[in-house]
Amino acid sequence: MTSATVFRRQIVSRTAAALLGGYVFAWGFIALGVAGMFAVGMSFHDAEHLFSMLALLLYLGVFLWSFAAREMRQVWLVLVGGGALMTALASLIQHALV
Amino acid sequence: MFQNFRLAMAWVHTWFGLVLGFVLMVVFFFGSLSVFDREIDRWAIPESRFEPQPMPSFDRILKPVFESMQPSPESVAAMRPRVDGPMPEHFDTPVRWGAYTTHRDPVLGVFAGYQVPNAKDPEELVWGNRTIDPRTGESLPDDHLKIGSQFFYPLHYSLNFHWKDLGYWIVGLAALIMLVALVSGVVMHRKLFRELFTFRPGKSSQRRILDLHNLTGVVALPFHFMFAFTGLVIFAGMYFPVTHTQLEPLHDLHEIIEAEETGLPHERAGVAAPIASVDAMVAEAQRRWASKDMAGDVGFLAVQHVGDANSYVSGYRAGTDRIALTGEGIHFNGSTGEVIREDPVPSAVENIGEFLTGLHLQHFRHWLLRWLYVLGGLAGCVCIATGFLFFVKKRKRQHAQKGVSGARTVEALAVTTVTGMLIATLGILIANRLLPANLPARGDWEQYCFWAVWALAMAHAFWRSGPVSAVRTAPAWIEQCRAVAVLAVSAVALNWITTGDHLWRTLSAGYWPVAGVDLALLGSAVLALWAARQLKRRDRRAARAADESAAGEVVHA
Amino acid sequence: MPDNLMLLMALLSNVVGMGWLALAMEVHWKQVRGRTPRGNSTVLGLRALGALALTVSLVLCLKVDHPSMAALVWVMALAGAALVIAFTLAWRAQWLAILLARRPARARV
């Protein structure tokens, strides 16, 4: 493989991780935040607003990290794995509450 | 892949900035215009050129208007597929009436939502809108396009591209990239404070452009960051619909709890009951606000479950004296006029949220701050535009030698998004003054003119950006600057001819909405002419230098 | 004092403050005063004056509006003032000599 194709592949992977991986991660963060904080007594709207705001800043952070990180596998693992884990946890908490 | 952190940030800044920069330019420019959306509305709809009015009497003016309303044919047509059986001719059960005004609105927008019999989702309503003269209750034709608040403003956050809400998502992505570009830009720049005041117009054109890029980016950095961020916060519920998809059950649970807490009935009682005097309720609301040291007018008035024993009236305060968008809502029983509930003191999170959204949506009465927002927005435009120019300058010579058209394409697109966007904006204003008053769907035609003029400007930009390959400025820049000047002056002249409101009259009457738009247009014309002259001069100098060096090479050969 | 006048003073105070802060930087000092040397005390003095002027501006803003609004007016006015100073330094640097209580020398282009 030429270095140009390697570079292109890297760019596609990093862009996808930044945009999609970042989105999944932010989604999971909001879901877990809302469900978790509601469970411990925070008002629903407060939890919703607070975690949306924080999630946007987090999205910004992980977006940049996706391009700065050395190891791409780690990025994908944290973003998609972590995002899915948080999303699942949120559903579990909801299941317990409703 | 990248040798170090700074190179990674530089790559992200350059390429994401380039791709989304075109969208950001539209967002920043029309956002700046939206600061004065109501004033642009006045310019575009001469019938509405009178002083802003407070919320009129509900009992005398608004009630008869609401009672004569029906849902719009568009809304009924859109609802048809979601109904079992035929649609009724007449909708008899209004669920919600609302009227909304600001300290800058002479006309009043009202809306009404109606229950649809046999709707698959009984909560879904059909809607009707009307614009009235609040002094008389008389309806104004609703097909007049409010160019400021109904075209430029939604263009700012949705690109007026509503198919699958794609416009909102593109703008959201652009806002995220704006934040990314700001952070990566700061990492690249490093000398944030040391070069805070640095602009060296005497240096090479590449240096000059980069200085201006850094200057406009850094001095307004808090503005850029806060506006991109709060823009995302405002639409966060749309970008991350977590509580309406995955956590819907939890959301419903909370709604039931909330309805119990607030005491505001969620359903109709099914027993008819006439509405008490809403004017008395408004007076009571104002008394309560005044006693909290927050005296003010009603900005938003709504009646829920109209005509039912469970009806309630909500009054929200117009937020003219503070940033936070806090309504201080007071809710009354519709048939008895008793207070059911006063919105509680907002929590810390609500306070932050209201401040952030209020800062972006600017309902306050503060003309200086409005102008400072325009300054910030235009600084953003300059920052983005110089970003494009730097990209082009850096690669032009190299691309010209290699015979690649990349820099040329980017320059043509930059012309399209800078001067082309101005031309399109002036195009819709001119169309607004020239199209016949009784043209059916006149507002649609105005919008077609906007897009057609922009497309023409784009075609011109691609046609006249040829000499970029020869390392010169594209003539499209100069020609479009001149076009901007001519069109801006024409718009002012047309306003005078078609309405008689020339600058002398509006200025001496102190009618700033129209005088301000006219003055801004003339100011842009002057600026555009100056820019054209500077570009022409530079270009001539560059051409001479190129000739000399070519001649020198001949001598040496 | 009427509100508009106070806001105008706040804007001016910001511009002047930014001007002093700029003059505390060596590059811009040279633009205005050429090779005239400056001591450490001058630098510190200019910085202090600059900070003071910006603070005065904030206080004026707070006197006119609700604190949430005043803070925004002030931050936005800072951006405007920085632009004014940057452009003055680019084209008419000599004018800033006024901030050092000196008459602007003839522009040397």
Side-chain angles (χ1 to χ4, degrees):
Chain A
M1 257 191 302
T2 64
S3 66
T5 22
V6 173
F7 185 78
R8 209 166 299 152
R9 237 179 236 189
Q10 276 273 342
I11 286 297
V12 171
S13 165
R14 280 172 194 267
T15 306
L19 287 174
L20 305 176
Y23 187 84
V24 171
F25 195 70
W27 179 286
F29 180 75
I30 297 178
L32 182 60
V34 172
M37 292 312 278
F38 184 67
V40 298
M42 193 183 220
S43 99
F44 189 81
H45 279 299
D46 276 5
E48 199 179 8
H49 286 148
L50 181 63
F51 282 89
S52 307
M53 286 190 264
L54 294 177
L56 288 165
L57 295 175
L58 191 69
Y59 199 173
L60 169 62
V62 296
F63 190 105
L64 293 168
W65 177 55
S66 304
F67 283 89
R70 250 165 233 283
E71 188 55 54
M72 271 319 281
R73 220 171 337 160
Q74 199 185 351
V75 174
W76 276 109
L77 192 72
V78 169
L79 293 187
V80 176
L85 189 68
M86 288 191 286
T87 309
L89 270 175
S91 280
L92 277 179
I93 295 175
Q94 169 172 258
H95 192 71
L97 290 177
V98 179
Chain B
M1 169 175 99
F2 298 110
Q3 271 135 20
N4 58 42
F5 181 60
R6 281 190 67 223
L7 283 179
M9 291 300 106
W11 191 92
V12 171
H13 188 90
T14 306
W15 292 99
F16 280 98
L18 177 69
V19 175
L20 271 312
F22 297 104
V23 181
L24 283 173
M25 192 77 187
V26 174
V27 174
F28 267 81
F29 181 68
F30 288 105
S32 308
L33 291 190
S34 300
V35 173
F36 290 112
D37 57 346
R38 300 300 204 283
E39 288 68 24
I40 296 172
D41 289 350
R42 302 290 78 76
W43 194 93
I45 308 176
E47 296 87 336
S48 68
R49 290 182 185 175
F50 52 89
E51 289 306 312
Q53 304 291 320
M55 182 71 76
S57 154
F58 182 93
D59 301 349
R60 279 185 297 112
I61 306 268
L62 291 180
K63 196 167 168 229
V65 171
F66 282 124
E67 283 169 346
S68 67
M69 280 175 74
Q70 277 292 294
S72 70
E74 296 84 29
S75 177
V76 174
M79 185 68 194
R80 189 151 285 145
R82 293 191 291 279
V83 176
D84 297 316
M87 286 294 236
E89 280 295 304
H90 195 270
F91 290 83
D92 306 314
T93 321
V95 174
R96 192 169 173 78
W97 285 345
Y100 172 72
T101 192
T102 74
H103 67 280
R104 289 151 64 221
D105 280 305
V107 295
L108 177 71
V110 297
F111 64 85
Y114 300 82
Q115 219 168 50
V116 185
N118 306 321
K120 287 177 186 160
D121 172 6
E123 301 255 313
E124 199 176 357
L125 309 177
V126 284
W127 298 92
N129 290 292
R130 203 179 275 181
T131 304
I132 64 165
D133 181 338
R135 298 169 302 185
T136 60
E138 209 178 308
S139 297
L140 298 168
D142 224 12
D143 60 342
H144 283 183
L145 180 65
K146 291 173 183 154
I147 291 183
S149 56
Q150 288 175 346
F151 186 73
F152 291 160
Y153 178 47
L155 195 60
H156 159 67
Y157 58 79
S158 72
L159 307 176
N160 286 337
F161 181 37
H162 296 297
W163 183 71
K164 302 233 179 258
D165 290 335
L166 209 56
Y168 293 89
W169 285 89
I170 295 172
V171 171
L173 175 61
L176 177 70
I177 296 305
M178 183 73 198
L179 296 176
V180 166
L182 288 171
V183 176
S184 55
V186 167
V187 172
M188 288 163 79
H189 185 34
R190 287 193 294 189
K191 290 172 270 188
L192 221 54
F193 289 104
R194 195 137 46 89
E195 292 197 346
L196 184 62
F197 303 104
T198 303
F199 174 49
R200 291 158 290 190
K203 293 270 171 93
S204 74
S205 67
Q206 209 166 309
R207 188 68 245 179
R208 195 163 60 213
I209 289 170
L210 190 59
D211 275 351
L212 199 55
H213 183 65
N214 291 340
L215 178 67
T216 48
V218 173
V219 298
L221 192 62
F223 173 86
H224 299 327
F225 193 93
M226 284 315 273
F227 274 73
F229 176 60
T230 53
L232 284 168
V233 168
I234 290 169
F235 286 106
M238 176 176 209
Y239 298 137
F240 292 99
V242 179
T243 51
H244 288 281
T245 51
Q246 190 198 344
L247 297 187
E248 177 100 62
L250 201 60
H251 177 255
D252 292 347
L253 172 71
H254 137 80
E255 272 207 331
I256 297 165
I257 299 172
E258 189 183 45
E260 278 167 14
E261 256 175 35
T262 59
L264 299 177
H266 193 259
E267 304 287 334
R268 296 176 87 88
V271 182
I275 192 162
S277 165
V278 173
D279 289 355
M281 302 181 207
V282 168
E284 172 62 14
Q286 284 182 311
R287 194 191 62 74
R288 289 187 179 222
W289 289 327
S291 72
K292 281 199 288 182
D293 205 19
M294 290 179 81
D297 291 321
V298 173
F300 179 50
L301 193 60
V303 185
Q304 185 76 17
H305 308 315
V306 179
D308 188 86
N310 265 356
S311 74
Y312 64 92
V313 177
S314 306
Y316 295 90
R317 184 172 171 278
T320 48
D321 56 350
R322 55 200 68 211
I323 298 293
L325 256 188
T326 151
E328 308 295 326
I330 299 179
H331 311 272
F332 300 86
N333 182 314
S335 47
T336 64
E338 279 161 25
V339 174
I340 309 177
R341 171 186 163 84
E342 211 167 312
D343 282 352
V345 178
S347 67
V349 175
E350 274 170 326
N351 271 327
I352 296 171
E354 282 164 354
F355 177 75
L356 290 179
T357 45
L359 153 150
H360 199 121
L361 298 174
Q362 42 192 293
H363 287 221
F364 47 76
R365 186 202 303 267
H366 202 298
W367 298 105
L368 173 64
L369 188 52
R370 277 180 190 277
W371 278 107
L372 287 171
Y373 273 15
V374 173
L375 180 76
L378 294 181
C381 289
V382 173
C383 185
I384 301 158
T386 46
F388 292 145
L389 293 181
F390 185 72
F391 182 95
V392 173
K393 287 272 178 208
K394 208 172 158 186
R395 289 162 182 77
K396 198 144 79 169
R397 192 176 291 274
Q398 204 188 352
H399 282 192
Q401 277 161 1
K402 277 203 248 160
V404 195
S405 64
R408 180 182 166 175
T409 310
V410 172
E411 181 152 43
L413 286 172
V415 174
T416 311
T417 31
V418 180
T419 49
M421 182 165 63
L422 293 176
I423 290 175
T425 306
L426 294 165
I428 192 172
L429 292 179
I430 289 176
N432 168 274
R433 292 292 85 229
L434 280 184
L435 291 172
N438 50 5
L439 182 74
R442 189 174 189 268
D444 292 345
W445 283 104
E446 290 172 34
Q447 300 189 35
Y448 300 148
C449 284
F450 176 86
W451 297 112
V453 169
W454 205 345
L456 271 179
M458 183 169 184
H460 173 260
F462 272 88
W463 172 45
R464 296 290 286 161
S465 58
V468 176
S469 314
V471 202
R472 297 252 309 267
T473 306
W477 283 113
I478 301 173
E479 290 159 9
Q480 295 210 356
C481 277
R482 288 181 184 149
V484 168
V486 172
L487 292 173
V489 174
S490 316
V492 175
L494 283 169
N495 176 41
W496 175 4
I497 295 166
T498 54
T499 68
D501 286 345
H502 50 77
L503 255 177
W504 186 246
R505 181 195 278 180
T506 47
L507 277 178
S508 53
Y511 192 59
W512 285 103
V514 170
V517 174
D518 274 348
L519 283 175
L521 286 168
L522 292 179
S524 327
V526 172
L527 211 61
L529 277 183
W530 176 80
R533 233 186 76 187
Q534 291 285 322
L535 284 172
K536 188 88 205 160
R537 221 189 264 169
R538 288 246 160 85
D539 201 43
R540 250 191 236 130
R541 222 180 296 150
R544 217 177 300 135
D547 282 350
E548 274 162 22
S549 72
E553 274 167 33
V554 172
V555 172
H556 285 294
Chain C
M1 219 179 344
D3 285 357
N4 285 341
L5 190 63
M6 284 220 268
L7 286 175
L8 187 70
M9 302 276 285
L11 291 182
L12 274 177
S13 186
N14 260 344
V15 171
V16 170
M18 280 290 183
W20 278 327
L21 288 180
L23 287 169
M25 295 154 95
E26 198 177 348
V27 208
H28 302 308
W29 172 270
K30 278 189 182 151
Q31 278 179 283
V32 179
R33 298 285 288 127
R35 295 225 189 101
T36 318
R38 49 176 204 161
N40 273 338
S41 58
T42 320
V43 177
L44 287 178
L46 282 169
R47 278 195 198 142
L49 274 175
L52 182 70
L54 300 188
T55 315
V56 166
S57 171
L58 177 61
V59 171
L60 285 167
C61 288
L62 283 167
K63 284 214 170 261
V64 180
D65 292 308
H66 188 267
S68 66
M69 192 123 71
L72 277 191
V73 172
W74 185 67
V75 169
M76 292 307 298
L78 280 182
L83 279 178
V84 169
I85 293 299
F87 289 133
T88 311
L89 281 168
W91 286 300
R92 295 283 183 278
Q94 281 305 314
W95 288 3
L96 292 191
I98 299 168
L99 297 182
L100 300 169
R102 289 175 172 276
R103 266 221 312 233
R106 289 247 165 238
R108 296 157 301 153
V109 179

